[in-house]
Amino acid sequence: MSRIGRKPITIPSTVTFTNDNGKVTVKGPKGELTAKLNPHITYELKDGVLEVKREDDSIKNKMNHGTARAIVANMVEGVTNGYSKTLEIKGTGYRAELRGKDLVLFVGHSHEDIVHPLPGVELSINKLEITVTGIDKQVVGQMAAMIRDVRKPEVYHGKGIRYKGEVISLRQPASAKKQAGGK
């Protein structure tokens, strides 16, 4: 049996969980999330603890057991606490600003880059940090990846947009290698 799938999910008193033949809905103080999951996965809610079980040991049900449990756990966490990702802007003259809800990036291109936020995501800027917040973990991660793709960190100086805490291993330029080796 799946190790992840066996773990029970604690449902806070402020959260309601419903399952309608594979259509799972979780409502909480921050909002409501719905996901269409495998209908052969069953959910048992007793005393604020949700257990995810599968009907049989078929290969498809085994594959989906842990995945369904992880998705539901992320939904419960999202509607209670929410998710956020922080990105850092590194580079001389690089900056970001908000125009309405749109994010405008000035990151060394000849033009400004405009990123439109996905539904259910909020963006905020504090100096050279962009914070993406929302209740859906997948959408928050997707939005952060879209912002990072505008100007990925380059490997020689580390300039660009990176996740907070991301380590970029810098390369030595070819001209420096030649001088050091004497060739």
Side-chain angles (χ1 to χ4, degrees):
M1 191 173 202
S2 168
R3 276 188 244 165
I4 302 284
R6 275 186 289 180
K7 289 183 179 178
I9 303 168
T10 305
I11 306 286
S13 60
T14 58
V15 174
T16 59
F17 172 84
T18 56
N19 176 26
D20 183 27
N21 197 25
K23 184 179 179 186
V24 174
T25 304
V26 179
K27 293 180 187 175
K30 292 208 176 242
E32 176 181 339
L33 290 173
T34 303
K36 182 82 173 123
L37 300 175
N38 188 342
H40 300 291
I41 303 294
T42 59
Y43 307 91
E44 293 179 11
L45 182 61
K46 294 179 186 172
D47 301 327
V49 175
L50 180 71
E51 290 189 12
V52 180
K53 297 184 178 185
R54 59 182 185 242
E55 286 180 354
D56 55 26
D57 286 341
S58 69
I59 293 174
K60 275 196 168 188
N61 288 343
K62 282 183 174 181
M63 289 189 305
N64 288 314
H65 186 205
T67 304
R69 188 256 175 220
I71 290 171
V72 172
N74 288 339
M75 290 168 69
V76 170
E77 178 69 21
V79 297
T80 40
N81 300 326
Y83 289 100
S84 71
K85 283 203 178 246
T86 305
L87 298 117
E88 298 174 328
I89 301 174
K90 299 249 181 185
T92 306
Y94 288 10
R95 60 189 171 88
E97 63 183 42
L98 286 173
R99 280 193 199 144
K101 291 189 176 199
D102 294 340
L103 177 68
V104 181
L105 297 168
F106 302 92
V107 286
H109 296 140
S110 62
H111 57 280
E112 58 190 31
D113 293 294
I114 299 174
V115 180
H116 305 288
L118 297 173
V121 171
E122 290 190 21
L123 303 172
S124 62
I125 299 174
N126 182 15
K127 296 186 182 179
L128 292 178
E129 287 188 351
I130 304 166
T131 305
V132 182
T133 56
I135 61 172
D136 191 343
K137 186 175 188 178
Q138 190 271 329
V139 174
V140 169
Q142 180 67 36
M143 187 74 233
M146 286 170 53
I147 293 170
R148 186 179 183 272
D149 280 345
V150 171
R151 186 72 168 209
K152 290 182 181 176
E154 56 104 2
V155 295
Y156 295 107
H157 301 102
K159 298 189 321 183
I161 302 172
R162 65 178 79 183
Y163 296 112
K164 188 168 187 166
E166 180 181 6
V167 177
I168 307 296
S169 56
L170 299 179
R171 292 186 193 165
Q172 186 178 12
S175 60
K177 287 180 190 174
K178 287 181 182 177
Q179 290 175 356
K183 293 181 180 180

